[in-house]
Amino acid sequence: MNRVYNFSAGPAVLPEEVLKKAQEEMFDYHGSGMSVMEMSHRTKTFDELIGKAEQDIRDLMQIPDNYKVLFLQGGASQQFAAVPMNLKKNGKAAYIVTGQWAKKAYQEAGKYLEAVKVASSEDQTFSYIPDCSDLDIPADADYVYICENNTIYGTKFKTMPNTKGHVLVSDVSSCFLSEPVDVTKYGVIYGGVQKNVGPAGLVISIIREDLIRDDLESYVPTMLKWKTQADNGSLYNTPNCWAIYICGLVFEWLKAQGGLTEMKKRNEEKAAILYDFLDSSKMFKGTVRREDRSLMNVPFVTGDDDLNAAFIKEATAQGFVSLKGHRTVGGMRASIYNAMPIEGVKKLVSFMEKFEKEHAKYTKNR
Ligand SMILES: *Cc1c(COP(=O)(O)O)cnc(C)c1O
């Protein structure tokens, strides 16, 4: 068996303990004589499984009782439409555009209401988080929308925007469960789980109860109404049973590791190793403004396309895979989610040091 160090942005690395547990339970989940993939979602066994998964994420994030936890399909992208459809009242919403995902959400919302771009960092390839302490937010905005961690560009909101009393909606896909959060600061928190939590095809939406309404426009599909999903405990139709199961195992794993406080500590430690090296290297440079750096996604460049390509090729051969950056940034990106062990980051940095020495001719004249 030959496991690599997988730096993919998503779908991404999962804890080995979780994969092993799923393997053990594949033929006979809890005495049912079948795997979770083969099991009706209307069984008592599955009911217990989803109930425990919900309780565990509630414990991990300390989700208050007046928030619903929904396990939905269609990925994070489906919520780009569901958010405006479910929250539309006055027909206006404020969007802070800090990357491709926020931009897509903004464009999608524009189909259903008046989406107002109140801040953007597109002028500098989304390499920073704009000052959001005093934005011109329309008084009648139904909500303020952010993408909290920008997977492609490697930026993260360290302070929440001043929403001036409006409901805050946050896409946390790539920082989900990476550190403790104060859920009460948000109206809606949602994330596709395939970045930091589980397999693709499942999005978890955590929604304050008063925002789950029935008085929606008549065109809103039954499946996209949060009310439908909340009233049916995420079981209106067949859910992504397998992904819910794996997420449940990841929640158990997170609890056993010491929860989100411990995750934050480890993630800070891992990120510091990589950023410290980038700050000292003559060859590799981070692409993000220092104070806005993500703990999860770390883009970096050499400034030379051939050298980038050589690096990715040699790294891959050494078992450090999926390091190629997004096409809009170029260069490299190391995603170092919860399940990436610290040894993976240390070994990557050692490899980068070695690569820099071996290719020193490129940096001599800089
Ligand atoms: C990956 C990603 C998405 C899209 O997720 P899908 O589940 O593929 O729709 C949305 N937002 C962020 C921040 C992401 O990283």
Side-chain angles (χ1 to χ4, degrees):
M1 198 175 50
N2 214 358
R3 297 274 298 170
V4 293
Y5 287 113
N6 177 9
F7 294 93
S8 170
V13 58
L14 286 167
E16 289 191 358
E17 292 93 326
V18 165
L19 297 176
K20 282 191 185 131
K21 179 100 185 200
Q23 185 180 42
E24 277 166 25
E25 295 181 334
M26 184 70 87
F27 268 62
D28 180 9
Y29 176 78
H30 290 201
S32 65
M34 63 179 88
S35 72
V36 174
M37 264 186 289
E38 304 164 288
M39 186 180 295
S40 164
H41 59 298
R42 305 289 178 203
T43 54
K44 185 164 169 284
T45 310
F46 189 77
D47 217 47
E48 283 168 9
L49 183 159
I50 193 171
K52 177 154 196 312
E54 177 175 340
Q55 191 54 54
D56 283 345
I57 191 175
R58 282 186 177 277
D59 295 346
L60 283 164
M61 292 178 72
Q62 297 176 10
I63 300 172
D65 287 344
N66 65 325
Y67 285 74
K68 292 278 190 215
V69 177
L70 305 181
F71 296 93
L72 308 172
Q73 300 190 58
S77 301
Q78 182 87 287
Q79 296 299 299
F80 294 171
V83 164
M85 283 181 182
N86 283 276
L87 296 181
K88 181 177 174 183
K89 251 188 190 163
N90 299 327
K92 208 180 271 183
Y95 277 73
I96 298 172
V97 178
T98 52
Q100 298 282 2
W101 296 117
K103 193 173 174 181
K104 282 192 172 152
Y106 161 71
Q107 287 166 341
E108 185 71 16
K111 293 182 170 188
Y112 309 106
L113 44 66
E114 188 190 333
V116 183
K117 196 195 289 179
V118 291
S120 167
S121 52
E122 194 162 15
D123 59 333
Q124 290 175 42
T125 330
F126 299 120
S127 60
Y128 69 101
I129 298 291
D131 177 3
C132 298
S133 58
D134 186 20
L135 297 173
D136 197 5
I137 296 167
D140 58 346
D142 291 325
Y143 59 91
V144 176
Y145 183 100
I146 61 167
C147 176
E148 199 159 323
N149 186 80
N150 296 281
T151 325
I152 295 173
Y153 302 95
T155 58
K156 161 114 206 281
F157 279 84
K158 303 287 167 76
T159 6
M160 287 301 111
N162 176 0
T163 65
K164 304 192 171 169
H166 296 85
V167 168
L168 180 64
V169 176
S170 179
D171 173 358
V172 298
S173 295
S174 49
C175 58
F176 219 170
L177 302 175
S178 63
E179 56 183 287
V181 286
D182 180 356
V183 174
T184 62
K185 292 212 157 71
Y186 304 80
V188 180
I189 304 178
Y190 76 91
V193 302
Q194 75 275 23
K195 309 289 161 65
N196 201 24
V197 189
L202 176 70
V203 52
I204 299 178
S205 291
I206 301 159
I207 308 166
R208 212 174 63 211
E209 263 166 8
D210 60 291
L211 301 172
I212 300 180
R213 295 161 30 213
D214 215 5
D215 58 329
L216 308 179
E217 304 263 12
S218 58
Y219 62 73
V220 178
T222 309
M223 280 288 291
L224 291 193
K225 281 186 190 171
W226 290 333
K227 181 100 173 55
T228 307
Q229 304 291 354
D231 286 351
N232 290 280
S234 306
L235 298 172
Y236 173 73
N237 73 330
T238 321
N240 188 336
C241 300
W242 176 257
I244 294 168
Y245 162 59
I246 299 290
C247 285
L249 294 182
V250 171
F251 301 156
E252 285 173 12
W253 179 80
L254 288 168
K255 280 180 137 182
Q257 304 302 303
L260 303 191
T261 307
E262 174 65 20
M263 277 303 126
K264 178 174 200 242
K265 186 171 148 270
R266 290 188 199 176
N267 288 329
E268 284 174 342
E269 213 177 318
K270 285 187 285 177
I273 294 170
L274 193 43
Y275 285 124
D276 286 350
F277 171 69
L278 291 173
D279 290 342
S280 69
S281 166
K282 288 198 167 58
M283 176 178 282
F284 299 101
K285 291 275 166 275
T287 58
V288 168
R289 188 167 72 180
R290 199 173 288 232
E291 57 267 39
D292 301 325
R293 286 169 164 176
S294 165
L295 292 181
M296 299 278 97
N297 311 98
V298 183
F300 55 95
V301 294
T302 63
D304 181 307
D305 285 346
D306 292 340
L307 199 56
N308 290 343
F311 174 78
I312 291 163
K313 189 161 173 244
E314 286 185 37
T316 307
Q318 296 298 315
F320 305 105
V321 310
S322 295
L323 280 165
K324 196 171 180 338
H326 192 268
R327 62 194 150 72
T328 59
V329 185
M332 284 67 71
R333 170 178 48 173
S335 295
I336 49 176
Y337 296 122
N338 285 345
M340 171 58 65
I342 193 162
E343 300 77 56
V345 180
K346 284 184 180 162
K347 284 182 185 166
L348 174 67
V349 166
S350 301
F351 172 74
M352 289 166 80
E353 282 168 346
K354 185 163 153 280
F355 184 91
E356 182 166 347
K357 278 200 195 93
E358 287 170 3
H359 297 75
K361 66 176 191 304
Y362 280 92
T363 46
K364 230 183 260 158
N365 300 320
R366 286 205 216 165

